[in-house]
Amino acid sequence: MNTLLSTEDVCLSFKGKRVLDHLSFSVTRGECFGFLGPSGAGKTTTIKLLTRQLAKDSGRIHLFGRPIEHATNADYERIGILSDTSALYERMSIEDNLRFYAKIRGVTGNNIPTLLERMGLADSRKTLVKNCSKGMRQRAALLAALVHGPELLFLDEPTSGLDPAARAEVHKMLRELKDAGATVFLTTHDMAEAEDLCDRIGILNEGRLIADDAPQALKLRHARNEVVMRLASGRVVRTTKDAAGAPLVAEALASGECLSVHSVEPNLEEVFLEMAGREF
């Protein structure tokens, strides 16, 4: 596998409080890696470390195959960032902001009309940012992160404040970027979003990584040993998901009375609550 980004035993403290505690994970090229956890778990801090806005106390971080301390300006030109501190200029229009970011990134900006259209901002392109709604600002900030066609995207809550239609469009765009070879590091509180977009998920709790696996694997690992069948009579039958429960399942299927049968799996939020005992 081609590892694009990795941390090994990374620690960071603020004012004597340990914020990240021996954090280790890796992200491969072309992967969408979801970084989940409750508020205050250290997700945004991790992004700031990975983008060299903060410096670690100890451990190792590699970016594009080299220690992050040796990352060059050219390396950072390959990165796009959407975070809670992403800056748009209030007195400039949405389009002028994008053209400004294209200029400082050294690209033509020929893709800006297409990007505006994709995000439903074409008709609002001349609107000053100070007059934009939260959702419009979020979409414009995302486009500013994409305008130079980055290889690696750090997205901190990219669909926060968006309506369902805009959220679906963002998801579609991210899938297309990933299919084209981009790598995405995503933080989100939306568990459905994480399950829909992410190839692999890391769960952070109190600065420690307590899980790292594919969404389905995480759910299966925490699935209950239970099968639920709904019969034509309206009765719901529950049995165990093993040899002991097999005769009851076989009988229901053979009778033709079984309308549905499924195993009981938790969703991602339930997995987190089981592992950490904290809500998002």
Side-chain angles (χ1 to χ4, degrees):
M1 292 188 295
N2 188 350
T3 300
L4 203 67
L5 173 70
S6 67
T7 69
E8 184 180 352
D9 286 329
V10 169
C11 295
L12 180 67
S13 298
F14 291 139
K15 298 181 179 180
K17 180 182 178 181
R18 182 63 61 87
V19 179
L20 296 176
D21 192 0
H22 296 280
L23 181 64
S24 298
F25 64 83
S26 62
V27 181
T28 59
R29 187 178 298 277
E31 180 178 39
C32 182
F33 180 73
F35 201 54
L36 312 182
S39 297
K43 303 186 301 297
T44 299
T45 297
T46 300
I47 286 182
K48 288 181 178 179
L49 278 178
L50 298 175
T51 54
R52 221 162 59 179
Q53 298 173 67
L54 290 174
K56 57 185 168 51
D57 294 335
S58 61
R60 290 162 294 283
I61 300 175
H62 282 77
L63 179 66
F64 296 125
R66 60 171 62 90
I68 197 166
E69 294 82 4
H70 300 153
T72 65
N73 289 337
D75 288 328
Y76 282 95
E77 291 301 321
R78 300 161 68 184
I79 291 174
I81 305 172
L82 173 67
S83 72
D84 55 0
T85 58
S86 294
L88 294 173
Y89 292 91
E90 296 276 313
R91 296 182 179 276
M92 292 170 60
S93 70
I94 292 172
E95 183 177 15
D96 286 344
N97 265 278
L98 297 186
R99 295 203 177 280
F100 173 75
Y101 277 105
K103 183 176 181 179
I104 64 175
R105 288 291 197 171
V107 296
T108 63
N110 290 340
N111 59 340
I112 288 174
T114 300
L115 291 173
L116 288 168
E117 190 70 37
R118 284 293 307 273
M119 280 293 97
L121 292 173
D123 292 340
S124 304
R125 65 188 185 279
K126 298 300 182 184
T127 302
L128 299 183
V129 168
K130 68 177 183 178
N131 295 328
C132 290
S133 67
K134 180 182 177 182
M136 291 170 66
R137 286 171 181 254
Q138 186 75 354
R139 283 178 283 164
L142 175 59
L143 296 187
L146 296 174
V147 72
H148 60 298
E151 295 176 43
L152 173 60
L153 271 170
F154 290 100
L155 302 179
D156 195 1
E157 303 288 347
T159 58
S160 175
L162 299 187
D163 60 53
R167 186 181 300 116
E169 194 57 48
V170 169
H171 289 180
K172 183 179 178 183
M173 180 179 286
L174 293 180
R175 288 190 203 95
E176 290 174 358
L177 288 167
K178 195 171 81 70
D179 289 344
T183 305
V184 180
F185 186 98
L186 172 73
T187 73
T188 179
H189 282 90
D190 185 336
M191 295 298 99
E193 177 171 84
E195 187 168 354
D196 188 35
L197 293 177
C198 298
D199 301 297
R200 195 160 47 89
I201 285 172
I203 297 179
L204 191 70
N205 186 42
E206 297 181 346
R208 283 183 169 271
L209 197 69
I210 60 174
D212 182 355
D213 212 333
Q216 187 65 15
L218 285 173
K219 293 194 300 179
L220 288 174
R221 192 177 306 151
H222 293 268
R224 297 196 296 271
N225 182 28
E226 186 177 20
V227 172
V228 178
M229 296 179 290
R230 187 173 298 277
L231 306 183
S233 64
R235 193 161 64 97
V236 175
V237 177
R238 299 176 184 272
T239 187
T240 53
K241 188 173 56 179
D242 53 23
L248 188 57
V249 174
E251 180 184 344
L253 292 173
S255 70
E257 290 294 302
C258 185
L259 299 179
S260 67
V261 56
H262 62 87
S263 61
V264 179
E265 298 176 10
N267 59 36
L268 287 178
E269 187 166 356
E270 289 169 334
V271 169
F272 183 87
L273 288 171
E274 182 177 336
M275 296 184 70
R278 296 175 61 191
E279 293 186 358
F280 282 86

